[in-house]
Amino acid sequence: MYLKKIFVVIVILFTIIETSSQEKKFENYNQNIGNIDYGLEMISINGGNFKMGSPSYEKNRKADEGPVHEVYIDSFWMGKFEITWDLYELFMSREIDKDQINNDINNEINLDVDAVSSATTPYVEMSFGMGTNGYPAISMTQLAASKFCEWLTAMTGNYYRLPTEAEWEYACRAGSNKPFSFENENEIAEYAWFEENSNGSYHKVGQKKPNPWGLHDMHGNVSEWTLDQYNPMAYQKSVNIVSNNPIEIATKLYPRVVRGGSFMSKSYRLRSSARISSNKEWKKQDPQIPRSLWWHTDAQFLGFRIVRPFNTPSLEDQKKYWIK
């Protein structure tokens, strides 16, 4: 009987140790792909409440940025940088698919990489001469950006997706309730590439100062996809409540929400609350019939960054957040 009790205690201790060893560490990390470091740095962002949108007195604000309402966001990781061509071309070529992580119960998700479709080869050089190595990938559709996240999930065993609009603004503000994440608007050139200092081109990621949470280029360089359907009246329904991890689930192709402003934008379009709606005119010069599912040829200002929720979503939500 005594030996039996000791055995039970040992089993319990090993269970506790094993469970503890499998707990996620919520800290910054570098996501390798196929055991290779591609510079995919992820920043841990603690969840919390914030005021989403801009007040009516904020200079250059638009009506779709209000009313200001309180939002709660769960903890998540976000890419320190916008996704670069170096990473996006791995997804396009699929030459490293053979290095996919093995299925394991400790993975957040086990997904066969062969089941993930990839972007087709574009008919023009999609950097448009602005640079590739270390520069943000551009002109992809929201579907293509989402498929990159699905591919990265399959390759690593960690669940990745695009940020919701609320997550994006929460991360961009980094605790600020001002128009930008930095205090002095006159210092915008220290934090962002925009119309006045970009010389008509995007720039390598991470060249400007990060926001207080360590994220680079949240203002300017390239605009960034979010998950949400664009609804100019979306904030109206959350005026008197705390909205918990809100998202406008997309039900039609256009318009959807883009954030952050770009190297082509006036400075006021880089504000944390500024919203852009996607437009089918972004494919105006696409000669293909039907037009590409993967590329917005006329959106040379558009890219994306990724997030990984701390709490892995259910299987149903995983698929819901991978835009189809």
Side-chain angles (χ1 to χ4, degrees):
M1 187 68 179
Y2 178 72
L3 290 176
K4 185 176 181 181
K5 287 181 179 179
I6 292 177
F7 177 76
V8 170
V9 169
I10 291 172
V11 170
I12 292 172
L13 285 173
F14 270 107
T15 302
I16 292 171
I17 292 170
E18 180 66 19
T19 302
S20 177
S21 68
Q22 294 177 13
E23 288 180 356
K24 294 180 188 175
K25 293 180 179 179
F26 193 54
E27 57 189 24
N28 299 348
Y29 69 96
N30 195 341
Q31 178 64 73
N32 289 352
I33 309 174
N35 293 318
I36 297 175
D37 180 0
Y38 291 100
L40 184 50
E41 297 182 55
M42 302 297 295
I43 302 295
S44 58
I45 298 175
N46 289 305
N49 290 62
F50 81 110
K51 300 292 187 181
M52 186 171 182
S54 61
S56 57
Y57 55 80
E58 185 169 301
K59 187 178 179 181
N60 293 311
R61 64 96 69 171
K62 291 189 174 182
D64 66 352
E65 298 172 25
V68 173
H69 55 292
E70 188 168 358
V71 169
Y72 173 78
I73 297 293
D74 286 332
S75 297
F76 61 98
W77 289 273
M78 177 175 262
K80 183 176 184 178
F81 308 112
E82 294 154 338
I83 293 297
T84 62
W85 282 115
D86 312 62
L87 288 162
Y88 199 72
E89 286 173 349
L90 295 174
F91 162 65
M92 290 175 62
S93 71
R94 305 296 289 269
E95 293 177 2
I96 67 168
D97 281 13
K98 64 184 184 301
D99 298 321
Q100 176 185 16
I101 193 170
N102 293 327
N103 283 2
D104 191 294
I105 59 171
N106 293 325
N107 294 344
E108 289 181 353
I109 181 170
N110 290 300
L111 177 67
D112 184 0
V113 73
D114 292 334
V116 183
S117 53
S118 185
T120 57
T121 302
Y123 72 95
V124 294
E125 196 277 304
M126 292 305 292
S127 77
F128 298 91
M130 291 187 286
T132 53
N133 294 338
Y135 292 87
I138 57 167
S139 296
M140 73 291 294
T141 61
Q142 189 196 48
L143 170 67
S146 186
K147 283 295 180 183
F148 172 90
C149 297
E150 190 175 354
W151 170 82
L152 183 63
T153 297
M155 290 297 296
T156 64
N158 291 327
Y159 179 76
Y160 290 99
R161 59 169 171 78
L162 295 175
T164 65
E165 184 176 17
E167 287 171 337
W168 192 97
E169 185 171 326
Y170 179 66
C172 181
R173 287 186 175 280
S176 172
N177 60 2
K178 302 293 179 62
F180 300 93
S181 61
F182 45 90
E183 286 295 315
N184 188 348
E185 295 183 31
N186 294 325
E187 296 178 351
I188 188 170
E190 297 181 25
Y191 292 86
W193 297 109
F194 61 110
E195 184 187 61
E196 291 182 18
N197 68 354
S198 68
N199 198 28
S201 175
Y202 60 44
H203 291 258
K204 286 189 176 183
V205 299
Q207 300 299 297
K208 294 293 187 178
K209 290 181 179 179
N211 76 3
W213 289 354
L215 302 167
H216 290 263
D217 301 312
M218 293 297 285
H219 306 289
N221 208 22
V222 295
S223 300
E224 300 174 12
W225 280 116
T226 72
L227 281 173
D228 295 57
Q229 188 86 60
Y230 173 76
N231 176 0
M233 306 299 290
Y235 299 175
Q236 298 285 344
K237 58 190 176 186
S238 302
V239 176
N240 297 315
I241 61 171
V242 177
S243 188
N244 188 26
N245 298 302
I247 179 174
E248 284 282 317
I249 297 296
T251 58
K252 54 185 179 180
L253 187 56
Y254 297 103
R256 297 185 183 180
V257 179
V258 173
R259 287 299 203 108
S262 77
F263 68 93
M264 295 182 176
S265 303
K266 301 284 188 185
S267 61
Y268 66 85
R269 296 303 297 158
L270 276 57
R271 291 174 301 108
S272 299
S273 59
R275 309 172 74 201
I276 303 171
S277 57
S278 67
N279 192 314
K280 63 183 178 180
E281 291 298 303
W282 294 355
K283 292 185 181 182
K284 188 174 182 179
Q285 296 181 67
D286 187 346
Q288 302 171 93
I289 300 176
R291 289 178 171 172
S292 174
L293 296 173
W294 304 101
W295 299 102
H296 278 312
T297 314
D298 296 273
Q300 297 167 22
F301 55 86
L302 178 60
F304 69 104
R305 75 178 72 216
I306 60 173
V307 300
R308 175 188 169 199
F310 180 72
N311 298 315
T312 306
S314 66
L315 289 173
E316 180 182 353
D317 283 345
Q318 288 173 16
K319 295 177 181 178
K320 179 175 69 176
Y321 289 134
W322 283 331
I323 302 297
K324 304 298 181 185

